[in-house]
Amino acid sequence: MKLIIANRTYSSWSLRAWLAARASKHPFEEQLILLRQPDTRARILQWSPSGKLPCLIDNGLAVWDSLAIAEYLAEEQPAMWPLDGAARALARSVSAEMHSGFQALRNQMPMNLHREGQPLARSSPELEVDIRRIEALWTDCLTRFGGHEPYLFGAWSIADMMFAPVCLRFHSYGVTLSGAARDYVAAVLAHPHVVEWCEAAQAESSLIPDYEV
Ligand SMILES: N[C@@H](CCC(=O)N[C@@H](CS)C(=O)NCC(=O)O)C(=O)O
């Protein structure tokens, strides 16, 4: 199995799929394609028909899009989603909400793992709405389903993988959160797979000026 990813520093979608691949316990090879190079599009299209990364190749089968990759891997490893039906439905809802929404957050706070706690010069009402919705959503999941483990549904699940880049953004941009959400961010940042990705990102040197807001 091979996972094609983009820059670890900036590619939040690659991180989500990579976390799913690590959680699947399936051995996999990684291939990195740097974004914004003259040959980026051609190189991505060799693997991913959408022209976007991440893309998983398994025995000649291409699976692209972070959520589809996570679902594909979870077929073999069902515990990547919560096992309780109601918890699983909520985990899928919040994962889909992340995958299709939070446009202001995505545009105004791009993931940038070189950034350490520097607030944005200027926020916007749309960004504030996204942040408060995420805070409320996390608090709801943690209250209803969090248990002895610190993640949204107790055990580390695809829902946490979908929100891990958001936790990293909140850290990078110094966003102030309430108690439960703050503790959740700390737990995600300390997860060994997240730590491993961030350490590898520190070794990357290619800067993309558009993402250096
Ligand atoms: N919905 C897709 C989004 C994938 C996406 O936008 N990937 C970006 C990198 S983070 C990409 O490949 N961009 C191609 C480019 O900039 O040339 C997913 O969940 O995987």
Side-chain angles (χ1 to χ4, degrees):
M1 201 166 82
K2 171 164 154 144
L3 183 67
I4 330 283
I5 55 172
N7 311 45
R8 287 185 181 81
T9 307
Y10 304 115
S11 180
S12 61
W13 300 114
S14 297
L15 168 57
R16 293 176 171 106
W18 184 89
L19 290 172
R22 291 290 271 115
S24 77
K25 303 191 175 91
H26 218 288
F28 68 100
E29 180 193 327
E30 283 169 46
Q31 183 174 328
L32 177 79
I33 298 180
L34 290 178
L35 299 172
R36 308 293 175 94
Q37 305 296 311
D39 62 348
T40 297
R41 187 162 170 78
R43 291 191 64 205
I44 295 177
L45 283 171
Q46 285 173 357
W47 302 104
S48 171
S50 67
K52 304 241 187 249
L53 296 175
C55 182
L56 182 78
I57 309 293
D58 190 19
N59 274 325
L61 173 74
V63 184
W64 63 92
D65 198 295
S66 55
L67 198 48
I69 293 170
E71 288 285 14
Y72 178 75
L73 294 167
E75 283 184 31
E76 290 284 311
Q77 198 66 253
M80 287 170 62
W81 285 115
L83 295 175
D84 169 75
R88 192 163 61 251
L90 183 60
R92 284 204 159 104
S93 296
V94 299
S95 298
E97 185 176 349
M98 175 66 247
H99 190 251
S100 62
F102 303 119
Q103 212 57 50
L105 178 96
R106 270 145 61 174
N107 293 340
Q108 294 169 45
M109 275 190 178
M111 189 172 96
N112 177 354
L113 299 184
H114 294 153
R115 189 173 174 124
E116 273 280 330
Q118 297 130 272
L120 282 177
R122 193 152 41 91
S123 187
S124 72
E126 295 79 12
L127 178 59
E128 205 51 37
V129 168
D130 280 359
I131 293 172
R132 294 311 147 212
R133 167 63 193 143
I134 290 168
E135 194 175 34
L137 167 173
W138 285 350
T139 306
D140 182 40
C141 294
L142 291 163
T143 309
R144 286 165 65 189
F145 295 103
H148 50 281
E149 290 188 70
Y151 306 114
L152 294 177
F153 295 89
W156 181 243
S157 78
I158 290 171
D160 302 297
M161 300 168 208
M162 294 304 289
F163 281 101
V166 177
C167 295
L168 289 163
R169 284 172 162 107
F170 286 173
H171 174 73
S172 301
Y173 294 85
V175 173
T176 308
L177 299 167
S178 66
R182 196 178 52 234
D183 294 348
Y184 174 65
V185 168
V188 170
L189 265 52
H191 189 282
H193 296 167
V194 175
V195 171
E196 187 183 329
W197 176 277
C198 292
E199 283 175 357
Q202 294 313 313
E204 280 182 351
S205 54
S206 58
L207 278 190
I208 300 184
D210 288 358
Y211 295 156
E212 297 290 329
V213 293

